[in-house]
Amino acid sequence: MAGQEQRRRRHRVVLFPLPFQGHVTPMLQLAALLHSRGLAVTVLHTAFNAPDPARHPELAFVPIHEALPDEVTCPGADIARQLLALNTACEAPFRDALASLLLLRGRRGQDQDQGSVACAVVDGQCYAAVDAAAQLGVPVLALRTDSAATFRTMLAFPRLRDAGYEMLDELVPDLEPLRVRDLIRVDGSDADALCGFIARVAGAVRSSASGVVVNTFEGIEAPELAKIRRELSLPVFAVGPLHLMSRAPAEQTTLRAPDGGCLAWLDTRPPRSVLYVSLGSVATVGHAAFEEMAWGLAGSGVPFLWVVRPGLVAGGEEEAPPPLPDGFSEEIKNRGKIVTWAPQREVLAHAAIGAFWTHCGWNSTLESVCEGVPMLVQPCFADQTVNARYVTHVWGVGMEVGEVIERGIVAEAVAKVMVGEEGARMRERAHRLKMEASAATSLSIDSLIHYISSLPTAN
Ligand code: UDP
């Protein structure tokens, strides 16, 4: 094994994450996994939302020195335009950084065991970097940090746009049970920019990628994975759930400091009595919806732990959390706990948690699935609508909060999922899904490692 590891370390994998929490986390989990299997790993990264190298002494980190325009970094930016601008701004610096790695090795010669670049793994949303790596002659794998179902939707996007669907509740042929309303969307975002972005993402995979790595597992998405394999004729490695497979501690990959005090608070609560509420790292709600969420939680009578992070309310302060409604803190006394950032994986694993009110980001969805926690879903944008539909209509482990966020509707939905019969049935199914997740095998990871180790090195 030692000899095999040493041989593999000569194969270096260069990773490049999209610099947002939901993308950095699975990329660093993959980095830990690849390193634990004997490969050498370099992470190229932007200065914007940079990972902390001190938390990963086993990995090499190289900044790409990008110059990002304001529309990428400013809070509340149009997401589609932000992603397009980010791709444009990172293309040349990424290409230069990767080319330097190739040259560096060439200059040092083969005797110094720094590991020669065998391939790149680039976040699939970074289409410009996928293309750039391929142009340098480096085999490139696109990492999908979303579900296989979402990726299928992206591949189908040109066909869907041309079909001109108008009925929101119509099922989309070949993507059932997704309805038109569940397709990737970003409210308020420029529709042409979004379509352009998705077309470039799909185009880069088709023309430049040598394979696709997806943070999912056969136990929940076997049909979707099979269809992607048929459609792309590329190797597709379903290596998830990455947080279970990599065993990387959660605090290694978080970009914000969590408030661990909420775990002690959970310790004082009976099993399955607390609702955990979080809309992830990017989603925002309007001021009115925020107030309705608050009063709905208060009115439900259910204990809750709520992540109210800076920037959660659209148009509010970016550096400080939004103020809670007047009289809310007195109303909830010690029945509700508010934090600005939670140690989410530990929270979901805590016996006191009964359900998760989530925006259905893919990481949150997988983390909930892996802990057997049923969900109340409130998808906000992008792939969250796809994930929410699978949670409610394929796996049956969650229900919608409601079409509008209104305190009475919220209180009713919270009670249903926490203490109702429907909630109990969802919990049972969630438990079965948890078993499936923990039985997910490393077969796909083994094939990925074999695939990378068999590649000729680029320098
Ligand atoms: N997260 C966390 N603490 C919080 C909220 C979120 O650690 O208070 C983590 C969560 O565990 C997940 C990630 O942030 O791994 C959010 O990713 P996801 O794909 O769910 O949503 P996004 O933030 O990309 O919308």
Side-chain angles (χ1 to χ4, degrees):
M1 180 60 196
Q4 200 181 29
E5 275 211 6
Q6 214 166 28
R7 274 197 302 284
R8 280 188 191 149
R9 287 269 189 250
R10 290 189 208 132
H11 280 73
R12 180 164 293 277
V13 184
V14 179
L15 307 185
F16 184 56
L18 183 76
F20 295 102
Q21 180 72 75
H23 293 255
V24 169
T25 295
M27 187 63 92
L28 290 177
Q29 287 163 346
L30 181 66
L33 187 58
L34 296 178
H35 182 270
S36 74
R37 295 298 200 91
L39 293 162
V41 178
T42 297
V43 181
L44 295 183
H45 64 87
T46 54
F48 173 58
N49 281 342
D52 178 3
R55 292 194 210 155
H56 315 264
E58 75 286 12
L59 309 175
F61 286 84
V62 178
I64 65 164
H65 302 300
E66 79 287 359
L68 295 181
D70 285 351
E71 65 184 318
V72 174
T73 49
C74 91
D78 176 318
I79 289 176
R81 289 185 174 286
Q82 186 182 32
L83 290 169
L84 286 164
L86 185 72
N87 267 281
T88 305
C90 289
E91 182 174 357
F94 170 82
R95 185 197 311 272
D96 293 348
L98 182 57
S100 302
L101 287 180
L102 301 176
L103 278 177
L104 189 72
R105 173 68 181 153
R107 273 196 226 111
R108 275 184 179 152
Q110 299 294 317
D111 53 322
Q112 290 185 36
D113 198 15
Q114 294 295 309
S116 306
V117 175
C119 74
V121 181
V122 173
D123 190 295
Q125 314 292 64
C126 300
Y127 56 83
V130 171
D131 286 337
Q135 283 154 14
L136 287 174
V138 177
V140 56
L141 301 168
L143 173 66
R144 297 305 320 174
T145 62
D146 42 23
S147 69
T150 295
F151 184 43
R152 286 203 67 226
T153 312
M154 293 185 101
L155 292 174
F157 225 71
R159 163 174 71 81
L160 302 176
R161 193 191 41 203
D162 296 345
Y165 293 108
E166 280 176 8
M167 306 299 289
L168 287 180
D169 286 321
E170 200 177 335
L171 288 173
V172 182
D174 195 39
L175 290 178
E176 302 90 348
L178 297 181
R179 302 158 300 178
V180 173
R181 68 167 73 245
D182 302 316
L183 298 176
I184 297 164
R185 63 176 167 76
V186 182
D187 289 342
S189 194
D190 182 312
D192 287 339
L194 182 64
C195 286
F197 168 72
I198 293 177
R200 285 178 172 89
V201 167
V205 169
R206 291 185 199 280
S207 62
S208 299
S210 306
V212 182
V213 180
V214 196
N215 185 15
T216 190
F217 58 106
E218 300 282 344
I220 50 171
E221 291 205 282
E224 288 74 16
L225 287 162
K227 286 177 186 160
I228 293 172
R229 287 188 180 107
R230 270 203 302 279
E231 187 173 341
L232 290 181
S233 305
L234 287 175
V236 175
F237 304 97
V239 297
L242 272 170
H243 70 283
L244 290 190
M245 294 297 177
S246 78
R247 300 182 196 283
E251 62 275 14
Q252 242 187 359
T253 58
T254 186
L255 296 174
R256 298 169 193 242
D259 176 348
C262 60
L263 295 171
W265 182 81
L266 287 175
D267 287 343
T268 65
R269 298 280 152 184
R272 293 193 298 277
S273 63
V274 177
L275 176 73
Y276 172 55
V277 188
S278 164
L279 302 183
S281 61
V282 188
T284 58
V285 290
H287 179 72
F290 177 68
E291 296 235 330
E292 294 303 309
M293 283 177 82
W295 289 119
L297 285 168
S300 71
V302 164
F304 61 89
L305 167 62
W306 186 11
V307 179
V308 178
R309 56 156 228 276
L312 175 63
V313 171
E317 261 254 39
E318 282 303 323
E319 301 307 322
L324 297 167
D326 285 347
F328 178 69
S329 300
E330 298 71 41
E331 178 73 25
I332 58 165
K333 298 230 171 61
N334 58 2
R335 183 164 61 77
K337 175 96 179 147
I338 312 284
V339 293
T340 53
W341 194 249
Q344 179 163 305
R345 275 167 50 194
E346 285 171 86
V347 165
L348 287 170
H350 199 287
I353 294 298
F356 180 13
W357 177 349
T358 172
H359 69 311
C360 282
W362 184 237
N363 294 289
S364 295
T365 306
L366 270 184
E367 287 160 8
S368 204
V369 159
C370 291
E371 295 302 339
V373 175
M375 291 168 251
L376 260 187
V377 305
Q378 184 193 346
C380 302
F381 69 95
D383 63 329
Q384 297 155 19
T385 42
V386 176
N387 302 335
R389 184 72 171 165
Y390 271 69
V391 165
T392 55
H393 284 75
V394 178
W395 308 314
V397 296
M399 55 179 269
E400 284 174 28
V401 179
E403 255 186 53
V404 284
I405 302 298
E406 184 276 327
R407 62 192 72 187
I409 295 175
V410 166
E412 207 177 304
V414 168
K416 258 193 198 162
V417 75
M418 291 296 290
V419 293
E421 281 177 23
E422 216 175 321
R425 283 195 293 274
M426 290 188 305
R427 189 162 297 111
E428 235 177 79
R429 288 192 287 264
H431 181 72
R432 284 204 293 273
L433 216 51
K434 172 183 175 167
M435 296 295 119
E436 292 230 31
S438 55
T441 67
S442 62
L443 276 180
S444 222
I445 296 165
D446 298 341
S447 344
L448 175 64
I449 302 293
H450 178 74
Y451 174 86
I452 297 174
S453 312
S454 318
L455 288 170
T457 47
N459 47 354

